[in-house]
Amino acid sequence: MSWRPTYRSSKFRNVYGKVANREHCYDGVPITKNVHDNHFCAVNSKFVAVVTESAGGGSFMVIPVSQAGRLDSHYPKVCGHQGNVLDIKWNPFFENIVASCSEDTSVRVWEIPDGGLRRNMTEAVLELYGHSRRVGLIEWHPTSSGILFSAGYDYKILIWNLEIGEPVKMIDCHTDVILSMSFNTDGSLLATSCKDKKLRVIEPRSGRVLQQASCKNHRVNRVVFLGNMKRLLTTGVSRWNTRQIALWDQEDLAMPIVEEDIDGLSGLLFPFYDADTHMLYLAGKGDGNIRYFEITTEKPYLQYLMEFRSPAPQKGLGVMPKHGLDVSACEVYRFYKLVTLKGLIEPISMIVPRRSDTYQEDIYPMTAGTEPALSATEWLSGIDRDPVLMSLKDGYHRPNQLVFKAPVKEKKSVVVNGIDLLENVPPRTENELLRMFFRQQDELRRLKEELTTKDVRIRQLELELNNLKNVSPNNV
């Protein structure tokens, strides 16, 4: 009986990972030790943002991409949150705008000056309050310039219109903590995975659940849309506690198209999908390796390519957008790996080996650019548009003329028993409660001293008045 291996020709079969030299890494970064399952890192063509370990609140560091090397121990931070920062994301259309969410129940939007920070930043452009518990996930809409999604531990997803600085929709269909969110290409569908072991495809503007899968055999952790293939990919754990990936038809979640076991390790698997090359990267939290596959619309659907290996475990990974890659080196993907034990951010480039130095059009198709396809108002009115595409051939340094404008909110007041409830916001964390308590104690002590002084002065004036009455009773 003859046996033939199932080899398949692919231009990405020999993609390899190249670690940057030490002088091109970012050293001396106090990376957070928080055990929350997230990347704690966000990257664009200008900046690398990473959540840091700090006392008395949450902070993150913003480093210019060109400023590699060892950082000063007093490097400035963004430190306006009162609780630990759990997620950070750069706006895909305004490269100086970054959003963060925290255990203090707030979502904040920051504007980073060109060249990076010179001092600690504490004032956000927008402070968004709407969740009743800590906020664990944020995602920017892929085609609209002013829409931000946030998922909290109150099991709710809020849609924020940043043009007015207010929540415009609440999605309340989950019964447990939301683990991940992913958009399709034009942002008309939202896929979520939840701790209640269910996978959902949601129409975000109405909040209607279009498809739902109860994943008992494959416990879903992370979900990602596979571009325009009408497929979803999830990572999770099988009933035998092996790490697993599954491919789903987004219009029918009754059964996965294919399931594949990866290994028996326990770290969470993070999926990264590149729609331009149809490559899927799998990176486990605490692992040192990154596996990559090619995804097709025909069997076997998932084609294993190769594996990047490293001895250093990864805390999280940031991904450079396409317009920030080095096309002259045939770089198709770039990770920024957080190595907590060394305080190191390590760039890892995924490179297609080519002999020619010319532009390789077959591996760099037209890709989603830095211009929004529609405004927040247009998207909320029901319009859907595909992303505005750009070519990477001519160096792709097209300046973005858009300017982010924060809404100017009128000061409102809600007075109850002489107290402005909007002016006197209740504390959201234990540290904030303690600080408020001690401030109030100091204020009470000062008021008591002032009251005692005034009582003494009143008695003195009463005695002086009585003396005047006794000295000249006829003149009074």
Side-chain angles (χ1 to χ4, degrees), residues 171-242:
I171 300 173
D172 189 12
C173 60
H174 300 85
T175 59
D176 211 323
V177 176
I178 299 147
L179 300 176
S180 69
M181 298 187 289
S182 177
F183 289 99
N184 64 343
T185 306
D186 63 2
S188 61
L189 296 177
L190 174 70
T192 64
S193 61
C194 183
K195 211 171 180 180
D196 62 7
K197 301 179 183 178
K198 289 183 180 179
L199 174 66
R200 295 174 175 88
V201 175
I202 302 166
E203 204 290 309
R205 281 174 293 226
S206 65
R208 188 164 56 95
V209 178
L210 304 178
Q211 291 287 330
Q212 180 172 296
S214 184
C215 309
K216 295 179 181 178
N217 297 332
H218 170 77
R219 297 197 302 276
V220 173
N221 287 322
R222 291 291 182 270
V223 60
V224 62
F225 264 103
L226 301 181
N228 288 322
M229 298 175 70
K230 294 189 179 295
R231 297 278 191 272
L232 293 169
L233 186 126
T234 59
T235 64
V237 182
S238 70
R239 61 170 64 185
W240 296 281
N241 285 333
T242 58

Side-chain angles (χ1 to χ4, degrees), residues 19-20 22 25 31 265 283-290 307-317 335-348:
V19 181
R22 188 73 181 207
C25 297
I31 299 168
L265 299 179
K285 187 175 181 181
D287 298 357
N289 60 344
I290 301 173
E307 184 175 356
F308 166 79
R309 292 182 178 274
S310 169
Q314 56 225 8
K315 171 79 173 180
L317 293 163
F335 292 102
Y336 284 77
K337 174 180 173 178
L338 304 186
V339 186
T340 310
L341 298 177
K342 298 179 182 178
L344 188 70
I345 304 177
E346 189 178 63
I348 302 170

Side-chain angles (χ1 to χ4, degrees), residues 120-346:
N120 285 352
M121 178 180 281
T122 56
E123 294 295 324
V125 176
L126 282 174
E127 295 185 13
L128 308 174
Y129 292 100
H131 289 281
S132 59
R133 297 181 66 185
R134 59 181 173 165
V135 187
L137 287 172
I138 48 176
E139 288 288 345
W140 293 95
H141 192 272
T143 59
S144 175
S145 57
I147 296 291
L148 181 67
F149 284 62
S150 64
Y153 277 63
D154 52 5
Y155 314 156
K156 295 175 176 60
I157 296 175
L158 293 183
I159 305 176
W160 302 90
N161 181 355
L162 301 189
E163 293 178 359
I164 61 173
E166 298 288 343
V168 291
K169 176 68 182 175
M170 182 178 70
I171 300 173
D172 189 12
C173 60
H174 300 85
T175 59
D176 211 323
V177 176
I178 299 147
L179 300 176
S180 69
M181 298 187 289
S182 177
F183 289 99
N184 64 343
T185 306
D186 63 2
S188 61
L189 296 177
L190 174 70
T192 64
S193 61
C194 183
K195 211 171 180 180
D196 62 7
K197 301 179 183 178
K198 289 183 180 179
L199 174 66
R200 295 174 175 88
V201 175
I202 302 166
E203 204 290 309
R205 281 174 293 226
S206 65
R208 188 164 56 95
V209 178
L210 304 178
Q211 291 287 330
Q212 180 172 296
S214 184
C215 309
K216 295 179 181 178
N217 297 332
H218 170 77
R219 297 197 302 276
V220 173
N221 287 322
R222 291 291 182 270
V223 60
V224 62
F225 264 103
L226 301 181
N228 288 322
M229 298 175 70
K230 294 189 179 295
R231 297 278 191 272
L232 293 169
L233 186 126
T234 59
T235 64
V237 182
S238 70
R239 61 170 64 185
W240 296 281
N241 285 333
T242 58
R243 294 197 294 191
Q244 198 176 55
I245 57 175
L247 193 65
W248 307 76
D249 182 347
Q250 75 179 38
E251 296 177 353
D252 183 10
L253 299 182
M255 287 289 291
I257 298 171
V258 63
E259 291 180 351
E260 188 166 321
D261 290 342
I262 302 299
D263 56 33
L265 299 179
S266 59
L268 178 70
L269 273 179
F270 291 113
F272 301 89
Y273 180 67
D274 181 3
D276 295 342
T277 61
H278 303 297
M279 286 179 65
L280 170 74
Y281 300 87
L282 293 179
K285 187 175 181 181
D287 298 357
N289 60 344
I290 301 173
R291 298 176 178 88
Y292 34 105
F293 302 75
E294 188 173 11
I295 296 183
T296 60
T297 54
E298 300 173 353
K299 289 184 179 181
Y301 304 115
L302 292 166
Q303 182 70 37
Y304 174 77
L305 295 175
M306 210 180 287
E307 184 175 356
F308 166 79
R309 292 182 178 274
S310 169
Q314 56 225 8
K315 171 79 173 180
L317 293 163
V319 175
M320 174 66 76
K322 280 285 180 174
H323 60 272
L325 301 179
D326 183 3
V327 296
S328 63
C330 295
E331 184 183 33
V332 292
Y333 218 68
R334 190 192 304 163
F335 292 102
Y336 284 77
K337 174 180 173 178
L338 304 186
V339 186
T340 310
L341 298 177
K342 298 179 182 178
L344 188 70
I345 304 177
E346 189 178 63

